[in-house]
Amino acid sequence: QVPLMESGGGLVQAGGSLRLSCEVSRDPKCFSPKAWYRQAPGKERELVASISPGGITNYGDSVKGRFTISRDNVKKTLYLQMTTLKTEDTAVYYCNADITRAFDCIQYARNDWGSGTRVTVFA
């Protein structure tokens, strides 16, 4: 089981909303969830949104004004509120995190991605 676990994906009609969550299932001190990416069939993975340690957010052009990234620093949980969904938002959404540079976090060096949650938007 990968440490980063996304949830909240599903099937939704265009114009609808979904809220994705990314939780750290173990050793939360080793992870700082920071971004959402997505990969549609036949396309490369692309940045959806990111949030800096200070809370500065950045969004891909296609989701600006519709998606909101946020983070609960106590729970080490990352969120993505998606509104006014479009069929072109259909993709697998992945959470990405920084790995803490500490000896006991080395084991997670290649676990900076979750396994994804699928979002399907139908017309």
Side-chain angles (χ1 to χ4, degrees):
Q1 185 182 29
V2 296
L4 293 174
M5 298 180 62
E6 302 96 338
S7 63
L11 186 65
V12 63
Q13 191 170 20
S17 300
L18 283 175
R19 188 192 195 207
L20 305 185
S21 298
C22 172
E23 298 179 66
V24 181
S25 63
R26 60 181 185 272
D27 290 333
K29 68 181 184 298
C30 292
F31 298 88
S32 297
K34 64 176 182 178
W36 289 95
Y37 286 74
R38 68 185 181 187
Q39 188 165 18
K43 295 187 177 181
E44 294 185 354
R45 192 171 295 190
E46 65 173 356
L47 175 70
V48 176
S50 65
I51 184 167
S52 72
I56 297 173
T57 57
N58 179 54
Y59 296 92
D61 288 341
S62 62
V63 306
K64 284 180 181 176
R66 300 188 298 121
F67 291 9
T68 303
I69 188 172
S70 61
R71 181 174 56 218
D72 184 324
N73 290 320
V74 174
K75 295 181 179 179
K76 288 290 186 79
T77 301
L78 191 68
Y79 303 99
L80 185 68
Q81 179 68 48
M82 306 187 294
T83 63
T84 320
L85 282 160
K86 304 176 180 180
T87 55
E88 50 263 46
D89 294 320
T90 294
V92 178
Y93 285 71
Y94 298 91
C95 175
N96 178 249
D98 282 331
I99 305 301
T100 303
R101 296 189 177 189
F103 178 78
D104 51 353
C105 297
I106 292 175
Q107 61 181 310
Y108 299 117
R110 296 185 179 184
N111 290 123
D112 55 342
W113 293 93
S115 56
T117 184
R118 185 174 300 277
V119 173
T120 303
V121 185
F122 64 94

